[in-house]
Amino acid sequence: MTPDEPAAPPAPAVTPLVTRLTLARQIRESLVVRIVSGEIQPGERLVETRIAAMYGTSQAPVREALRELEAMRMVETRPRRGTFVRHFVQQTLRESYVVRAALEETATRLAMLAGTMPLPALRAEVKAMRAAARAGDAAAAARASVAFHRHIVDAAHNELLKLSWEALQIEARTSVTMVAAEVKLKDIARDHAELLRSIEDGELETACKHARDHQWHYADLPHDAHGRARRQVS
Amino acid sequence: MTPDEPAAPPAPAVTPLVTRLTLARQIRESLVVRIVSGEIQPGERLVETRIAAMYGTSQAPVREALRELEAMRMVETRPRRGTFVRHFVQQTLRESYVVRAALEETATRLAMLAGTMPLPALRAEVKAMRAAARAGDAAAAARASVAFHRHIVDAAHNELLKLSWEALQIEARTSVTMVAAEVKLKDIARDHAELLRSIEDGELETACKHARDHQWHYADLPHDAHGRARRQVS
DNA sequence: GTGTAACCGATTATCGATAGTCGGTGGAGG
DNA sequence: CCTCCACCGACTATCGATAATCGGTTACAC
Protein backbone atom coordinates (compact mmCIF):
# COMPACT_ATOMS: atom_id res chain seq x y z
CA MET A 1 0.00 0.00 0.00
CA THR A 2 2.45 2.57 -1.10
CA PRO A 3 1.19 5.76 -2.62
CA ASP A 4 3.54 6.31 -5.51
CA GLU A 5 2.43 9.85 -5.21
CA PRO A 6 4.02 11.47 -2.15
CA ALA A 7 0.84 12.35 -0.32
CA ALA A 8 2.73 15.44 0.78
CA PRO A 9 2.25 16.02 4.50
CA PRO A 10 1.33 19.61 3.76
CA ALA A 11 0.30 21.29 6.97
CA PRO A 12 0.37 19.24 10.14
CA ALA A 13 0.76 22.64 11.76
CA VAL A 14 0.05 21.14 15.16
CA THR A 15 3.58 20.13 16.16
CA PRO A 16 5.31 23.31 17.18
CA LEU A 17 7.60 21.60 19.70
CA VAL A 18 10.96 20.81 18.15
CA THR A 19 10.39 17.37 19.55
CA ARG A 20 13.64 15.54 19.43
CA LEU A 21 13.13 14.19 22.92
CA THR A 22 10.25 11.96 23.80
CA LEU A 23 7.23 13.55 25.37
CA ALA A 24 7.75 11.54 28.53
CA ARG A 25 11.25 12.94 28.93
CA GLN A 26 10.07 16.49 28.41
CA ILE A 27 7.29 16.10 30.91
CA ARG A 28 9.69 14.68 33.46
CA GLU A 29 12.07 17.59 33.11
CA SER A 30 9.26 20.03 33.49
CA LEU A 31 7.95 18.34 36.60
CA VAL A 32 11.40 18.18 38.19
CA VAL A 33 11.74 21.90 37.86
CA ARG A 34 8.32 22.52 39.28
CA ILE A 35 8.91 20.26 42.24
CA VAL A 36 12.38 21.48 43.06
CA SER A 37 11.31 25.08 42.76
CA GLY A 38 8.52 24.44 45.19
CA GLU A 39 5.79 25.33 42.75
CA ILE A 40 4.37 21.90 43.39
CA GLN A 41 4.10 21.33 47.11
CA PRO A 42 5.37 18.36 49.06
CA GLY A 43 2.55 15.96 49.73
CA GLU A 44 0.66 17.24 46.74
CA ARG A 45 -1.00 14.68 44.60
CA LEU A 46 -0.07 14.41 40.96
CA VAL A 47 -3.14 13.39 39.03
CA GLU A 48 -2.15 11.73 35.81
CA THR A 49 -5.12 12.73 33.74
CA ARG A 50 -4.90 16.31 34.88
CA ILE A 51 -1.20 16.58 34.04
CA ALA A 52 -1.86 14.96 30.69
CA ALA A 53 -4.48 17.57 29.93
CA MET A 54 -2.13 20.29 31.12
CA TYR A 55 0.55 19.26 28.65
CA GLY A 56 -1.90 18.33 25.94
CA THR A 57 -0.85 14.69 25.81
CA SER A 58 -2.39 11.39 26.71
CA GLN A 59 -1.95 9.63 30.02
CA ALA A 60 0.78 7.25 28.86
CA PRO A 61 3.77 9.61 28.65
CA VAL A 62 2.77 11.15 31.94
CA ARG A 63 2.84 7.79 33.64
CA GLU A 64 6.28 7.11 32.29
CA ALA A 65 7.51 10.45 33.54
CA LEU A 66 6.11 9.71 36.98
CA ARG A 67 7.83 6.33 37.08
CA GLU A 68 11.11 8.08 36.41
CA LEU A 69 10.47 10.64 39.10
CA GLU A 70 9.74 7.81 41.46
CA ALA A 71 13.11 6.27 40.67
CA MET A 72 14.65 9.62 41.51
CA ARG A 73 12.83 9.51 44.86
CA MET A 74 11.14 12.79 44.16
CA VAL A 75 7.67 11.32 44.29
CA GLU A 76 6.09 8.29 45.87
CA THR A 77 3.60 6.03 44.19
CA ARG A 78 1.20 3.75 45.97
CA PRO A 79 -0.35 1.27 43.57
CA ARG A 80 -3.88 2.22 42.64
CA ARG A 81 -3.75 5.12 45.03
CA GLY A 82 -1.80 7.72 43.18
CA THR A 83 1.48 9.60 43.04
CA PHE A 84 2.51 12.17 45.62
CA VAL A 85 5.39 14.58 45.93
CA ARG A 86 7.71 13.50 48.70
CA HIS A 87 8.05 15.50 51.85
CA PHE A 88 11.67 14.72 52.37
CA VAL A 89 13.11 16.02 49.18
CA GLN A 90 15.58 18.04 51.19
CA GLN A 91 16.36 15.17 53.52
CA THR A 92 17.06 12.97 50.56
CA LEU A 93 19.26 15.70 49.23
CA ARG A 94 21.26 15.56 52.43
CA GLU A 95 21.42 11.80 52.34
CA SER A 96 22.71 11.84 48.83
CA TYR A 97 25.85 13.61 49.95
CA VAL A 98 26.64 10.88 52.43
CA VAL A 99 26.28 8.25 49.77
CA ARG A 100 28.35 10.31 47.37
CA ALA A 101 30.99 10.57 50.03
CA ALA A 102 31.12 6.80 50.33
CA LEU A 103 31.39 6.24 46.61
CA GLU A 104 33.81 9.05 45.90
CA GLU A 105 36.12 8.13 48.73
CA THR A 106 36.35 4.66 47.26
CA ALA A 107 36.78 6.04 43.77
CA THR A 108 39.63 8.19 45.01
CA ARG A 109 41.25 5.19 46.62
CA LEU A 110 40.93 3.05 43.50
CA ALA A 111 42.14 5.74 41.14
CA MET A 112 45.13 6.61 43.28
CA LEU A 113 46.07 2.99 43.78
CA ALA A 114 45.86 2.41 40.05
CA GLY A 115 47.62 5.66 39.30
CA THR A 116 44.88 6.71 36.90
CA MET A 117 43.87 9.97 38.52
CA PRO A 118 43.46 12.52 35.69
CA LEU A 119 45.19 15.44 37.35
CA PRO A 120 45.19 17.77 34.33
CA ALA A 121 41.46 17.39 33.88
CA LEU A 122 40.86 18.02 37.56
CA ARG A 123 42.98 21.16 37.44
CA ALA A 124 41.01 22.34 34.44
CA GLU A 125 37.73 21.96 36.29
CA VAL A 126 39.00 23.88 39.28
CA LYS A 127 40.05 26.60 36.90
CA ALA A 128 36.58 26.58 35.39
CA MET A 129 35.09 26.91 38.87
CA ARG A 130 37.22 29.94 39.60
CA ALA A 131 36.16 31.53 36.33
CA ALA A 132 32.52 30.77 37.10
CA ALA A 133 32.91 32.27 40.55
CA ARG A 134 34.32 35.45 39.10
CA ALA A 135 31.53 35.62 36.56
CA GLY A 136 28.91 34.81 39.18
CA ASP A 137 27.68 31.99 36.99
CA ALA A 138 26.24 29.43 39.39
CA ALA A 139 25.15 27.01 36.67
CA ALA A 140 28.65 26.91 35.24
CA ALA A 141 30.13 26.33 38.68
CA ALA A 142 27.73 23.47 39.28
CA ARG A 143 28.64 21.91 35.96
CA ALA A 144 32.35 22.14 36.68
CA SER A 145 31.89 20.66 40.14
CA VAL A 146 29.95 17.71 38.80
CA ALA A 147 32.53 17.23 36.08
CA PHE A 148 35.34 17.29 38.64
CA HIS A 149 33.81 14.50 40.66
CA ARG A 150 32.81 12.54 37.59
CA HIS A 151 36.42 12.54 36.44
CA ILE A 152 37.40 10.89 39.68
CA VAL A 153 34.62 8.34 39.54
CA ASP A 154 35.55 7.51 35.96
CA ALA A 155 39.18 7.10 36.90
CA ALA A 156 38.30 4.35 39.34
CA HIS A 157 37.47 2.13 36.37
CA ASN A 158 34.71 0.38 38.22
CA GLU A 159 31.57 0.40 36.14
CA LEU A 160 29.26 -0.52 38.97
CA LEU A 161 30.64 2.24 41.11
CA LYS A 162 30.05 4.62 38.24
CA LEU A 163 26.58 3.22 37.82
CA SER A 164 25.68 3.71 41.46
CA TRP A 165 27.07 7.21 41.42
CA GLU A 166 25.17 8.20 38.29
CA ALA A 167 22.03 6.75 39.78
CA LEU A 168 22.16 9.42 42.45
CA GLN A 169 21.20 11.94 39.78
CA ILE A 170 23.94 14.26 40.88
CA GLU A 171 23.24 16.84 38.21
CA ALA A 172 19.66 17.21 39.22
CA ARG A 173 20.55 17.74 42.85
CA THR A 174 23.65 19.87 42.67
CA SER A 175 21.95 22.97 41.42
CA VAL A 176 19.31 22.56 44.07
CA THR A 177 21.90 22.52 46.80
CA MET A 178 23.60 25.59 45.49
CA VAL A 179 20.41 27.55 45.71
CA ALA A 180 19.07 25.90 48.82
CA ALA A 181 22.21 26.12 50.91
CA GLU A 182 23.29 29.42 49.47
CA VAL A 183 26.77 28.17 48.82
CA LYS A 184 29.30 30.80 47.90
CA LEU A 185 30.80 30.17 44.49
CA LYS A 186 34.24 31.13 45.70
CA ASP A 187 34.01 28.58 48.50
CA ILE A 188 33.25 25.88 45.98
CA ALA A 189 36.35 26.65 43.98
CA ARG A 190 38.46 26.78 47.11
CA ASP A 191 37.13 23.48 48.51
CA HIS A 192 37.84 21.67 45.29
CA ALA A 193 41.28 23.20 45.03
CA GLU A 194 42.10 21.89 48.48
CA LEU A 195 40.82 18.44 47.65
CA LEU A 196 42.85 18.45 44.46
CA ARG A 197 45.93 19.49 46.38
CA SER A 198 45.70 16.55 48.72
CA ILE A 199 45.28 14.21 45.76
CA GLU A 200 48.31 15.69 44.03
CA ASP A 201 50.33 15.17 47.16
CA GLY A 202 49.73 11.45 46.78
CA GLU A 203 48.92 10.79 50.42
CA LEU A 204 46.35 8.04 49.94
CA GLU A 205 44.56 8.01 53.27
CA THR A 206 44.62 11.77 53.60
CA ALA A 207 43.14 12.26 50.16
CA CYS A 208 40.45 9.66 50.80
CA LYS A 209 39.45 11.25 54.05
CA HIS A 210 39.44 14.62 52.34
CA ALA A 211 37.20 13.28 49.59
CA ARG A 212 34.80 12.00 52.20
CA ASP A 213 34.73 15.11 54.33
CA HIS A 214 34.28 17.25 51.26
CA GLN A 215 30.85 15.71 50.73
CA TRP A 216 29.86 15.28 54.35
CA HIS A 217 30.32 18.99 54.64
CA TYR A 218 27.45 19.61 52.23
CA ALA A 219 25.27 17.15 54.08
CA ASP A 220 25.63 19.37 57.13
CA LEU A 221 24.63 22.57 55.42
CA PRO A 222 21.13 23.84 56.01
CA HIS A 223 18.92 23.10 53.05
CA ASP A 224 15.84 25.16 53.41
CA ALA A 225 14.93 26.09 49.90
CA HIS A 226 11.82 24.03 50.14
CA GLY A 227 10.87 25.48 53.46
CA ARG A 228 11.24 28.86 51.94
CA ALA A 229 9.24 28.03 48.89
CA ARG A 230 6.54 26.50 51.02
CA ARG A 231 6.29 29.43 53.31
CA GLN A 232 5.48 31.91 50.62
CA VAL A 233 2.42 29.92 49.65
CA SER A 234 0.96 28.74 52.91
CA MET B 1 16.36 -14.77 25.95
CA THR B 2 15.80 -17.01 22.98
CA PRO B 3 12.28 -16.88 21.63
CA ASP B 4 10.97 -20.35 22.34
CA GLU B 5 8.19 -19.15 20.10
CA PRO B 6 5.06 -20.93 21.21
CA ALA B 7 3.32 -19.22 18.28
CA ALA B 8 1.30 -17.43 20.98
CA PRO B 9 -2.26 -18.38 20.18
CA PRO B 10 -4.94 -15.97 21.39
CA ALA B 11 -5.51 -18.27 24.33
CA PRO B 12 -3.76 -16.22 27.04
CA ALA B 13 -3.72 -19.08 29.50
CA VAL B 14 -0.61 -17.30 30.75
CA THR B 15 -0.13 -17.58 34.48
CA PRO B 16 -1.95 -14.60 35.92
CA LEU B 17 1.03 -13.78 38.16
CA VAL B 18 -0.04 -13.52 41.82
CA THR B 19 -1.42 -10.12 41.00
CA ARG B 20 -1.46 -7.81 43.95
CA LEU B 21 1.35 -5.70 42.67
CA THR B 22 0.99 -3.85 39.43
CA LEU B 23 1.94 -5.74 36.33
CA ALA B 24 4.68 -3.27 35.58
CA ARG B 25 6.29 -3.89 38.96
CA GLN B 26 6.15 -7.63 38.54
CA ILE B 27 7.63 -7.48 35.09
CA ARG B 28 10.42 -5.28 36.36
CA GLU B 29 11.31 -7.69 39.15
CA SER B 30 11.31 -10.57 36.77
CA LEU B 31 13.57 -8.79 34.32
CA VAL B 32 16.01 -7.76 37.04
CA VAL B 33 16.49 -11.34 38.07
CA ARG B 34 16.95 -12.46 34.51
CA ILE B 35 19.50 -9.77 33.79
CA VAL B 36 21.53 -10.17 36.95
CA SER B 37 21.54 -13.94 36.66
CA GLY B 38 22.87 -13.64 33.16
CA GLU B 39 19.91 -15.28 31.49
CA ILE B 40 19.49 -12.14 29.44
CA GLN B 41 22.78 -11.18 27.87
CA PRO B 42 24.50 -7.81 28.02
CA GLY B 43 23.92 -5.84 24.89
CA GLU B 44 20.81 -7.80 24.17
CA ARG B 45 17.88 -5.86 22.88
CA LEU B 46 14.67 -5.91 24.83
CA VAL B 47 11.83 -5.74 22.38
CA GLU B 48 8.76 -4.36 24.07
CA THR B 49 6.16 -6.18 22.07
CA ARG B 50 7.94 -9.48 22.42
CA ILE B 51 8.25 -9.16 26.18
CA ALA B 52 4.62 -8.14 26.40
CA ALA B 53 3.64 -11.29 24.55
CA MET B 54 5.92 -13.34 26.76
CA TYR B 55 4.16 -12.14 29.91
CA GLY B 56 0.76 -12.06 28.32
CA THR B 57 0.27 -8.33 28.82
CA SER B 58 0.08 -5.31 26.59
CA GLN B 59 2.97 -3.06 25.74
CA ALA B 60 2.21 -0.39 28.32
CA PRO B 61 3.28 -2.15 31.53
CA VAL B 62 6.41 -3.38 29.79
CA ARG B 63 7.38 0.12 28.85
CA GLU B 64 6.95 1.25 32.42
CA ALA B 65 9.09 -1.59 33.65
CA LEU B 66 11.79 -0.68 31.17
CA ARG B 67 11.73 2.95 32.26
CA GLU B 68 12.32 1.79 35.81
CA LEU B 69 15.16 -0.46 34.77
CA GLU B 70 16.64 2.48 32.95
CA ALA B 71 16.49 4.54 36.10
CA MET B 72 18.29 1.68 37.84
CA ARG B 73 20.85 1.94 35.05
CA MET B 74 20.48 -1.71 34.21
CA VAL B 75 19.41 -0.98 30.67
CA GLU B 76 19.95 1.84 28.27
CA THR B 77 17.27 3.37 26.12
CA ARG B 78 17.85 5.39 23.02
CA PRO B 79 14.70 7.17 21.95
CA ARG B 80 13.02 5.46 19.05
CA ARG B 81 15.84 2.99 18.82
CA GLY B 82 15.12 0.56 21.56
CA THR B 83 16.23 -0.67 24.96
CA PHE B 84 19.42 -2.64 25.54
CA VAL B 85 20.90 -4.43 28.51
CA ARG B 86 23.99 -2.63 29.70
CA HIS B 87 27.25 -4.38 29.20
CA PHE B 88 28.70 -3.96 32.62
CA VAL B 89 25.76 -5.29 34.56
CA GLN B 90 27.19 -8.67 33.89
CA GLN B 91 30.81 -8.09 34.60
CA THR B 92 30.10 -6.55 37.96
CA LEU B 93 30.15 -9.41 40.38
CA ARG B 94 33.66 -8.55 41.47
CA GLU B 95 33.01 -4.85 41.25
CA SER B 96 29.94 -5.16 43.38
CA TYR B 97 32.05 -6.07 46.37
CA VAL B 98 34.01 -2.86 46.11
CA VAL B 99 30.83 -0.83 45.99
CA ARG B 100 29.37 -2.81 48.85
CA ALA B 101 32.52 -2.07 50.79
CA ALA B 102 32.04 1.63 50.23
CA LEU B 103 28.42 1.61 51.26
CA GLU B 104 28.80 -0.71 54.20
CA GLU B 105 31.77 1.10 55.59
CA THR B 106 29.70 4.25 55.61
CA ALA B 107 26.72 2.43 57.05
CA THR B 108 28.93 1.14 59.83
CA ARG B 109 30.18 4.62 60.53
CA LEU B 110 26.70 6.12 60.59
CA ALA B 111 25.23 3.39 62.75
CA MET B 112 28.06 3.49 65.25
CA LEU B 113 28.00 7.27 65.46
CA ALA B 114 24.26 7.18 66.03
CA GLY B 115 24.55 4.26 68.43
CA THR B 116 21.94 2.31 66.52
CA MET B 117 23.96 -0.78 65.70
CA PRO B 118 21.72 -3.80 66.39
CA LEU B 119 24.25 -5.99 68.14
CA PRO B 120 21.84 -8.75 69.23
CA ALA B 121 20.57 -9.20 65.69
CA LEU B 122 24.10 -9.34 64.35
CA ARG B 123 25.07 -11.95 66.92
CA ALA B 124 22.04 -13.99 65.93
CA GLU B 125 23.07 -13.98 62.29
CA VAL B 126 26.59 -15.08 63.10
CA LYS B 127 25.09 -17.90 65.13
CA ALA B 128 22.94 -18.83 62.15
CA MET B 129 26.02 -18.86 59.95
CA ARG B 130 27.80 -21.22 62.29
CA ALA B 131 24.79 -23.53 62.33
CA ALA B 132 24.62 -23.42 58.55
CA ALA B 133 28.32 -24.21 58.34
CA ARG B 134 27.87 -27.23 60.56
CA ALA B 135 24.90 -28.38 58.52
CA GLY B 136 26.72 -27.71 55.26
CA ASP B 137 23.77 -25.59 54.15
CA ALA B 138 25.25 -23.03 51.76
CA ALA B 139 21.94 -21.36 50.99
CA ALA B 140 21.25 -20.76 54.65
CA ALA B 141 24.72 -19.34 55.16
CA ALA B 142 24.22 -16.97 52.25
CA ARG B 143 20.90 -15.83 53.66
CA ALA B 144 22.40 -15.18 57.07
CA SER B 145 25.28 -13.28 55.58
CA VAL B 146 23.01 -11.04 53.56
CA ALA B 147 20.82 -10.50 56.60
CA PHE B 148 23.85 -9.55 58.69
CA HIS B 149 24.89 -6.85 56.29
CA ARG B 150 21.35 -5.66 55.74
CA HIS B 151 20.98 -5.11 59.48
CA ILE B 152 23.95 -2.78 59.37
CA VAL B 153 22.72 -0.90 56.34
CA ASP B 154 19.31 -0.50 57.95
CA ALA B 155 20.85 0.79 61.14
CA ALA B 156 22.44 3.67 59.26
CA HIS B 157 18.97 5.16 58.78
CA ASN B 158 19.83 6.62 55.44
CA GLU B 159 17.20 5.74 52.94
CA LEU B 160 19.24 6.54 49.89
CA LEU B 161 22.14 4.48 51.16
CA LYS B 162 19.77 1.59 51.67
CA LEU B 163 18.37 2.08 48.22
CA SER B 164 21.78 2.09 46.58
CA TRP B 165 22.73 -1.01 48.49
CA GLU B 166 19.56 -2.85 47.57
CA ALA B 167 20.06 -1.85 43.95
CA LEU B 168 23.19 -4.00 43.93
CA GLN B 169 20.92 -7.01 44.12
CA ILE B 170 23.08 -8.58 46.77
CA GLU B 171 20.88 -11.65 47.12
CA ALA B 172 21.12 -12.47 43.49
CA ARG B 173 24.90 -12.26 43.57
CA THR B 174 25.82 -13.72 46.91
CA SER B 175 24.92 -17.28 46.16
CA VAL B 176 26.76 -17.02 42.89
CA THR B 177 29.91 -15.97 44.67
CA MET B 178 29.71 -18.76 47.16
CA VAL B 179 29.67 -21.31 44.43
CA ALA B 180 32.00 -19.49 42.08
CA ALA B 181 34.69 -18.68 44.59
CA GLU B 182 34.22 -21.90 46.50
CA VAL B 183 34.09 -20.11 49.78
CA LYS B 184 34.28 -22.28 52.86
CA LEU B 185 31.20 -21.96 55.03
CA LYS B 186 33.26 -21.99 58.19
CA ASP B 187 35.36 -19.11 56.89
CA ILE B 188 32.25 -17.08 56.33
CA ALA B 189 31.11 -17.52 59.89
CA ARG B 190 34.58 -16.69 61.19
CA ASP B 191 34.95 -13.56 59.05
CA HIS B 192 31.65 -12.19 60.20
CA ALA B 193 32.40 -13.01 63.81
CA GLU B 194 35.60 -11.01 63.57
CA LEU B 195 33.84 -8.08 61.98
CA LEU B 196 31.20 -8.21 64.69
CA ARG B 197 33.88 -8.29 67.35
CA SER B 198 35.45 -5.10 66.10
CA ILE B 199 32.05 -3.42 66.03
CA GLU B 200 31.31 -4.52 69.58
CA ASP B 201 34.61 -3.08 70.69
CA GLY B 202 33.36 0.32 69.62
CA GLU B 203 36.54 1.41 67.90
CA LEU B 204 35.00 3.46 65.10
CA GLU B 205 37.82 3.67 62.58
CA THR B 206 38.93 0.12 63.18
CA ALA B 207 35.43 -1.22 62.64
CA CYS B 208 34.95 0.84 59.50
CA LYS B 209 38.20 -0.37 58.04
CA HIS B 210 37.26 -3.90 58.95
CA ALA B 211 33.89 -3.52 57.26
CA ARG B 212 35.64 -2.36 54.13
CA ASP B 213 38.31 -5.01 54.07
CA HIS B 214 35.72 -7.67 54.70
CA GLN B 215 34.20 -6.96 51.29
CA TRP B 216 37.39 -6.16 49.44
CA HIS B 217 38.51 -9.61 50.36
CA TYR B 218 35.74 -11.15 48.30
CA ALA B 219 36.56 -8.89 45.37
CA ASP B 220 39.98 -10.52 45.27
CA LEU B 221 38.69 -14.06 45.06
CA PRO B 222 38.51 -15.69 41.63
CA HIS B 223 35.02 -15.34 40.18
CA ASP B 224 33.87 -16.98 37.02
CA ALA B 225 30.31 -17.65 37.96
CA HIS B 226 28.75 -15.36 35.45
CA GLY B 227 30.75 -16.89 32.72
CA ARG B 228 29.43 -20.20 33.86
CA ALA B 229 25.88 -19.00 34.22
CA ARG B 230 26.00 -17.51 30.78
CA ARG B 231 27.34 -20.63 29.25
CA GLN B 232 24.52 -22.80 30.41
CA VAL B 233 21.96 -20.63 28.64
CA SER B 234 23.54 -19.75 25.36
C1' DG C 1 30.63 -0.83 -9.84
C1' DT C 2 29.09 2.93 -6.81
C1' DG C 3 26.27 6.39 -4.63
C1' DT C 4 21.74 8.16 -3.59
C1' DA C 5 16.87 7.86 -2.78
C1' DA C 6 12.71 5.61 -2.23
C1' DC C 7 10.87 1.52 0.02
C1' DC C 8 10.07 -2.05 3.66
C1' DG C 9 9.57 -4.65 7.66
C1' DA C 10 10.12 -4.13 12.48
C1' DT C 11 9.47 -1.66 16.51
C1' DT C 12 8.71 2.37 19.37
C1' DA C 13 5.85 6.32 20.98
C1' DT C 14 1.45 7.84 21.70
C1' DC C 15 -3.40 7.86 21.77
C1' DG C 16 -8.25 6.98 23.23
C1' DA C 17 -11.17 3.76 25.54
C1' DT C 18 -12.39 0.72 29.34
C1' DA C 19 -12.21 -2.22 33.40
C1' DG C 20 -11.37 -1.93 38.25
C1' DT C 21 -10.13 0.03 42.55
C1' DC C 22 -10.16 3.54 46.19
C1' DG C 23 -11.89 6.92 49.39
C1' DG C 24 -15.64 9.39 50.67
C1' DT C 25 -20.64 10.02 51.42
C1' DG C 26 -25.17 9.64 53.05
C1' DG C 27 -28.74 6.85 54.98
C1' DA C 28 -30.13 2.87 58.05
C1' DG C 29 -29.42 0.77 62.40
C1' DG C 30 -27.79 0.91 67.18
C1' DC D 1 -24.83 11.07 67.98
C1' DC D 2 -21.92 7.36 66.27
C1' DT D 3 -20.86 3.14 63.35
C1' DC D 4 -21.46 0.28 59.28
C1' DC D 5 -22.08 -0.51 54.48
C1' DA D 6 -23.70 -0.06 49.71
C1' DC D 7 -23.25 3.45 46.24
C1' DC D 8 -20.89 7.10 43.59
C1' DG D 9 -17.49 9.79 41.37
C1' DA D 10 -12.63 10.15 40.55
C1' DC D 11 -8.59 8.13 39.00
C1' DT D 12 -5.33 4.47 38.00
C1' DA D 13 -3.87 0.31 35.42
C1' DT D 14 -4.16 -1.83 31.27
C1' DC D 15 -5.50 -2.75 26.67
C1' DG D 16 -5.66 -2.56 21.55
C1' DA D 17 -4.98 0.41 17.69
C1' DT D 18 -2.40 3.79 15.08
C1' DA D 19 1.07 7.12 13.78
C1' DA D 20 6.04 7.74 13.37
C1' DT D 21 10.75 6.30 13.04
C1' DC D 22 14.72 3.57 12.31
C1' DG D 23 18.14 0.63 9.93
C1' DG D 24 18.73 -2.02 6.22
C1' DT D 25 17.85 -3.04 1.40
C1' DT D 26 16.74 -2.58 -3.27
C1' DA D 27 16.32 0.02 -7.50
C1' DC D 28 18.09 3.12 -10.57
C1' DA D 29 20.95 6.53 -12.68
C1' DC D 30 25.55 7.48 -13.68
Side-chain angles (χ1 to χ4, degrees):
Chain A
M1 208 68 354
T2 25
D4 18 18
E5 181 255 286
V14 199
T15 322
L17 286 173
V18 192
T19 315
R20 192 63 290 166
L21 245 38
T22 65
L23 281 181
R25 205 57 61 96
Q26 292 174 273
I27 293 171
R28 182 190 77 180
E29 292 308 321
S30 174
L31 288 177
V32 165
V33 170
R34 304 215 296 170
I35 291 173
V36 166
S37 73
E39 180 188 335
I40 301 180
Q41 306 258 321
E44 193 169 325
R45 183 177 192 175
L46 298 174
V47 179
E48 300 179 352
T49 50
R50 200 162 305 167
I51 295 174
M54 196 172 295
Y55 289 101
T57 72
S58 76
Q59 193 185 347
V62 174
R63 276 182 69 81
E64 286 188 30
L66 292 180
R67 289 300 89 76
E68 296 187 30
L69 288 182
E70 187 184 9
M72 291 175 65
R73 316 307 283 178
M74 301 201 66
V75 303
E76 191 167 13
T77 297
R78 282 173 297 174
R80 307 194 177 272
R81 294 283 206 79
T83 301
F84 305 81
V85 177
R86 290 200 146 204
H87 282 101
F88 2 70
V89 175
Q90 66 270 54
Q91 182 201 330
T92 303
L93 192 59
R94 213 173 261 125
E95 290 186 352
S96 75
Y97 282 101
V98 175
V99 179
R100 280 187 67 175
L103 298 176
E104 293 184 15
E105 176 184 354
T106 291
T108 303
R109 187 184 310 278
L110 289 172
M112 288 182 74
L113 285 173
T116 53
M117 196 66 89
L119 296 177
L122 295 181
R123 293 188 191 108
E125 298 301 345
V126 170
K127 204 167 175 180
M129 276 178 244
R130 290 212 176 95
R134 274 194 300 278
D137 185 344
R143 268 198 307 278
S145 171
V146 172
F148 180 96
H149 293 288
R150 180 171 282 123
H151 280 310
I152 295 179
V153 173
D154 284 339
H157 294 299
N158 179 312
E159 290 301 333
L160 189 54
L161 176 60
K162 179 89 189 321
L163 193 71
S164 302
W165 188 82
E166 294 289 356
L168 295 178
Q169 304 283 335
I170 310 287
E171 272 85 354
R173 303 189 208 269
T174 297
S175 56
V176 181
T177 294
M178 296 185 64
V179 178
E182 294 176 351
V183 180
K184 297 282 190 301
L185 296 189
K186 277 182 184 166
D187 292 345
I188 291 179
R190 181 177 44 73
D191 290 348
H192 285 82
E194 286 176 11
L195 173 54
L196 173 56
R197 170 73 53 85
S198 72
I199 291 173
E200 286 173 323
D201 288 349
E203 282 284 340
L204 183 62
E205 292 306 329
T206 305
C208 287
K209 185 166 191 319
H210 208 139
R212 186 173 80 225
D213 292 343
H214 177 78
Q215 298 297 159
W216 279 60
H217 167 66
Y218 287 102
D220 288 337
L221 293 177
H223 291 83
D224 66 348
H226 284 288
R228 225 181 292 152
R230 211 176 305 137
R231 228 172 289 143
Q232 75 187 38
V233 189
S234 56
Chain B
M1 190 169 62
T2 340
D4 11 18
E5 252 336 26
V14 188
T15 340
L17 302 166
V18 201
T19 316
R20 188 62 290 173
L21 244 38
T22 64
L23 282 180
R25 206 57 59 97
Q26 292 173 272
I27 292 171
R28 182 191 75 182
E29 292 306 322
S30 174
L31 288 177
V32 165
V33 170
R34 304 216 291 169
I35 291 173
V36 171
S37 72
E39 180 188 337
I40 301 180
Q41 304 259 318
E44 192 168 326
R45 182 177 193 175
L46 297 174
V47 179
E48 300 178 353
T49 50
R50 201 163 305 168
I51 295 174
M54 198 172 294
Y55 288 103
T57 72
S58 75
Q59 194 186 347
V62 174
R63 274 182 70 80
E64 287 188 31
L66 292 179
R67 289 300 88 77
E68 296 187 31
L69 288 182
E70 188 186 9
M72 293 172 66
R73 296 298 200 279
M74 300 200 67
V75 302
E76 191 167 12
T77 297
R78 282 172 297 174
R80 308 198 175 270
R81 294 283 208 77
T83 302
F84 304 80
V85 177
R86 290 208 160 199
H87 281 97
F88 35 83
V89 172
Q90 197 60 53
Q91 113 200 14
T92 49
L93 186 54
R94 191 187 309 270
E95 292 186 348
S96 75
Y97 283 100
V98 175
V99 179
R100 281 187 66 175
L103 298 176
E104 293 184 16
E105 176 184 355
T106 292
T108 302
R109 188 185 310 277
L110 288 172
M112 288 182 74
L113 284 173
T116 52
M117 195 65 88
L119 297 177
L122 295 180
R123 292 188 192 109
E125 298 302 346
V126 170
K127 204 167 174 180
M129 275 178 246
R130 290 211 176 94
R134 272 194 301 278
D137 185 345
R143 269 198 306 279
S145 172
V146 173
F148 180 96
H149 293 288
R150 181 171 280 121
H151 280 309
I152 294 177
V153 172
D154 285 338
H157 294 300
N158 180 311
E159 200 200 339
L160 202 50
L161 175 60
K162 178 87 187 325
L163 191 71
S164 302
W165 189 82
E166 293 290 354
L168 296 178
Q169 298 290 324
I170 310 286
E171 271 91 351
R173 303 188 209 262
T174 297
S175 56
V176 180
T177 294
M178 296 186 63
V179 178
E182 294 174 351
V183 180
K184 298 282 191 303
L185 297 189
K186 276 182 183 165
D187 292 345
I188 291 179
R190 180 176 45 72
D191 290 348
H192 285 81
E194 285 176 10
L195 172 55
L196 173 56
R197 170 72 54 85
S198 73
I199 291 172
E200 286 173 322
D201 289 349
E203 280 285 340
L204 182 63
E205 292 306 330
T206 305
C208 287
K209 185 164 191 321
H210 207 139
R212 187 173 79 224
D213 292 343
H214 176 79
Q215 297 297 161
W216 278 59
H217 167 67
Y218 287 102
D220 288 337
L221 295 176
H223 289 86
D224 63 349
H226 279 298
R228 225 180 286 159
R230 208 176 307 139
R231 232 170 287 145
Q232 76 188 37
V233 188
S234 55

